[in-house]
Amino acid sequence: MTTANPTTIAFIGLGIMGAPMAGHLIDAGHDVVGYNRSRPAVDRLVERGGRAADSVADAVRDAEVVITMVPDSPDVEDVSLGDDGIYATAKPGTLHIDCSTIRPDVARAVAAAGNERGVRVVDAPVSGGEAGAKEGSLSIMVGGSAEDVEAARPYLDVVGGTVVHVGPAGAGQTVKAANQLIVAGNIQLLAEALVFLEAHGVDTAAATEVLGGGLAGSTVLQRKAAGMRAREFAPGFRIDLHHKDLGIVTAAAREAGVTIPLGAHVAQLVGALRAMGHGDLDHSALLLLVERMSGRST
Amino acid sequence: MTTANPTTIAFIGLGIMGAPMAGHLIDAGHDVVGYNRSRPAVDRLVERGGRAADSVADAVRDAEVVITMVPDSPDVEDVSLGDDGIYATAKPGTLHIDCSTIRPDVARAVAAAGNERGVRVVDAPVSGGEAGAKEGSLSIMVGGSAEDVEAARPYLDVVGGTVVHVGPAGAGQTVKAANQLIVAGNIQLLAEALVFLEAHGVDTAAATEVLGGGLAGSTVLQRKAAGMRAREFAPGFRIDLHHKDLGIVTAAAREAGVTIPLGAHVAQLVGALRAMGHGDLDHSALLLLVERMSGRST
C-alpha cells in the first residue's frame, strides 16, 4: 500500500532486521536514505529503491523522520549523541524512532537529550524476529509522549502488525526486556522438551503438533520447533544479541527489586552457550546446550 | 453433532475435566454411565442426561468403552487393576481410554495388564485445561497400537480439537510430561514478566497485548494473563496436580539421562508455592510466589 504522504526517512542500521523494515517503507512510497557501517547493506538498499548515505549526518540532514536499528545501547548513544550524530544534525521537529533493543535508562537519557535539541524521540523496539520483519508483522512496543507516538504510528504500521503505546519514554524498552525474558525461556523449555522426547524415542513431529494444540502452544513452538528438530540454527536472532538483552532484563529486574528465578537461570544458560563458542547461532540453538548437558551431542 | 453409532461408555472420574468431557459425549448421543468417588458429581451427570453407577464395576459391566479421568498413577492402578476394577469386570474386547495424566511406566504396565485380560488400552492424556474441556477443544496425545488408537478416535474427537497418535503405549504420557514442563515454565516466565512490568509502572494490559503479537506470544499468555493481572486464581488446574506432573517429568527425564535445567527449577518453584499452602489454587498462582520473592505481596 503506497502512502499519500511520502516522507524522507533516514534509516540507520540495515542488518537482518533493519534491511527488510527499510524495504517495506520504500514499498510504501517513502523516500528512504540508508546508512550502515558496512557498505554492502547500503548498496542492497539502493538496489531495493532507496538512496545511499555516506554517514549518519549525511542520512539525517534532510530527513523528517530518523529510524535507528542498531545492536546495543552504546551504538544508539553513538549515532544519537555523537559530534556528527542525529541530534547534532537533525532539523528541529525531526522525529527519531529508535527500534533498537537497549537499556530502558539509556532510552530515557537519549530521549531527554533529543528533546533538548528539539528532536522528538520514541523508543519502539520490536519482536517477531527476521520472519516478522520480512512479513511486516512485527510486534512493536512503543514508549514516548502520546503525541510523538501518534506521529510515529504511520511508519510503525508499515513494518508492524501489532503497534502498542505502552507508556512514557523507556517503557517500550521495559516491555521489550520482558519480551526477551519470555522468549529465551520459552525456547529453552521447548529445547528441554524436544531432547526429552527424543531420548524417549517419541516421534517429535507428531508431538510438536499436539503440543501446539494445547496450553503448551506458543509462537516459539510454531516458528522454531521445526528448525530445532532439524538442527538448523542459522540466525535469525543471534545468541550474542539475546545474551545482551538478558543482561538488560536481569539488571532492570534487580534495579526494581524483582526476583526472576527462571529469567536469571536462562540468562546463565544463554551465557554458557555463548561461552562455548555459539554466539553466532540462532537463539534456538539452546537445544545444543541441552543436548551437550545430556551427553547426547554428536 | 449426534453420532450415528451410539455407544455405552463408562466414564470414571467426573471432576473439573471429566464432567464437561462426559457431557460432550452425552451431547454426541452416547449412553454415558458415570462413576465418581463423591456422589454429587454423579448426580450432576444424571441431570445432564447420563446414567448413574454406584461403583466402577457397576459402570463398566455393560460398557463397550471405558474412559478414566482420575488424578494420579495409583488412582489409575486402583480403578484398572483392583479386585472390582475395570479389568476384572469388563467384557473382552472392551476399549479402555485413560485420559488421566500419569507416569509413562505405569501407563505401559496398566496397558499390558489390560491386554492380558483381552481389554484394549490406550493412554490419551489431554491439554487445554478446564476451558479446553468445556469447549471440546482439548489437545490429546495418544499412545497405543494404531488399531486401538483408531478405535478410540471417534470418542476423542468429541472432546478434543487436536488428537494425535504419538507412539506405542505410554508415549501419550511421555508427551504429556513434556507438555507439563512447557506449561509450568511458560506460566512462571509470564509471572516474572508481569511482576517486573508492574514494578516498573508499565501498563500491563497494553504490554500483554503487544507481547502476544510477537515471539513471546503463547496460549498461556492468551488464557492466563488477564486472570494473573486481576489476581484471580480459582482453578482451573490446581498447583497440587501440576506438582504431581512435574514429579513425573523430572523422574522421566532423569531415567532417560536428560538434563532439564528450567524444568527442574520450575518444579522447585511449584513445590515451594504448594509448601506455602497454595496447592488448591490454579497454576497461574505462580505469580504469588514471584510477588512474595520480590517483597511485593499484599
Side-chain angles (χ1 to χ4, degrees), chain A residues 127-129 137-141 162-166 171 174-175 177-179 181-190 192-193 195-197 199-200 202-203 206-207 209-221 223-224 249 252-253 255-266 269 283 290 293-296, chain B residues 127-129 137-141 162-166 171 174-175 177-179 181-190 192-193 195-197 199-200 202-203 206-207 209-221 223-224 249 252-253 255-266 269 283 290 293-296:
Chain A
S127 178
S137 67
L138 292 166
S139 199
I140 312 185
M141 31 223 90
T162 307
V163 178
V164 182
H165 183 198
V166 294
T174 302
V175 176
N179 184 86
L181 181 164
I182 293 174
V183 169
N186 283 8
I187 292 173
Q188 173 66 22
L189 291 161
L190 178 59
E192 294 178 14
V195 174
F196 170 82
L197 290 169
H200 279 283
V202 171
D203 173 358
E209 182 192 350
V210 73
L211 289 170
L215 198 48
S218 69
T219 310
V220 160
L221 190 134
R223 296 209 166 178
K224 298 289 183 186
V249 67
E255 187 188 306
V258 173
T259 302
I260 50 167
L262 284 207
H265 196 159
V266 77
L269 296 171
H283 48 178
V290 178
M293 292 174 81
S294 302
R296 297 177 63 83
Chain B
S127 179
S137 66
L138 292 166
S139 199
I140 312 184
M141 30 223 92
T162 308
V163 178
V164 181
H165 182 198
V166 293
T174 303
V175 176
N179 185 87
L181 181 164
I182 293 174
V183 169
N186 283 9
I187 291 173
Q188 173 66 23
L189 291 161
L190 179 59
E192 294 178 15
V195 174
F196 170 82
L197 290 169
H200 279 283
V202 171
D203 172 0
E209 182 193 350
V210 73
L211 289 170
L215 197 49
S218 69
T219 310
V220 160
L221 190 135
R223 297 210 167 179
K224 297 289 182 186
V249 67
E255 188 188 306
V258 173
T259 303
I260 50 168
L262 285 206
H265 197 160
V266 77
L269 296 171
H283 47 180
V290 178
M293 293 173 81
S294 303
R296 297 178 62 85

Side-chain angles (χ1 to χ4, degrees), chain B residues 11-55:
Chain B
F11 204 112
I12 296 162
L14 300 165
I16 286 177
M17 299 296 290
M21 292 169 69
H24 287 301
L25 290 162
I26 292 168
D27 293 344
H30 295 295
D31 171 31
V32 178
V33 188
Y35 175 72
N36 195 68
R37 270 190 298 201
S38 68
R39 180 74 196 194
V42 179
D43 295 336
R44 282 193 294 274
L45 186 79
V46 171
E47 285 165 28
R48 188 84 170 69
R51 291 194 288 134
D54 291 325
S55 66

Side-chain angles (χ1 to χ4, degrees), chain A residues 10 23 27 65 82 86 100 125 129 135 148 157 180 210 243 254 287 294:
Chain A
D27 293 344
V65 171
I86 298 167
S100 317
E135 293 164 8
D148 293 345
D157 281 341
Q180 294 304 77
V210 73
H243 179 69
R254 190 178 170 85
L287 186 107
S294 302

Side-chain angles (χ1 to χ4, degrees), chain A residues 5 12 27 31 35-36 48 56-57 78 87 108 111 125 131-132 134 142 171 177 181 190 200 204-205 225 235 285 293:
Chain A
N5 298 299
I12 295 163
D27 293 344
D31 170 31
Y35 175 72
N36 195 69
R48 187 85 170 68
V56 169
D78 281 354
Y87 303 156
R108 283 189 293 271
K134 286 183 172 171
V142 195
L181 181 164
L190 178 59
H200 279 283
T204 54
M293 292 174 81

Side-chain angles (χ1 to χ4, degrees), chain A residues 10-26:
Chain A
F11 204 112
I12 295 163
L14 300 166
I16 286 177
M17 300 296 290
M21 292 168 69
H24 288 302
L25 290 162
I26 293 168

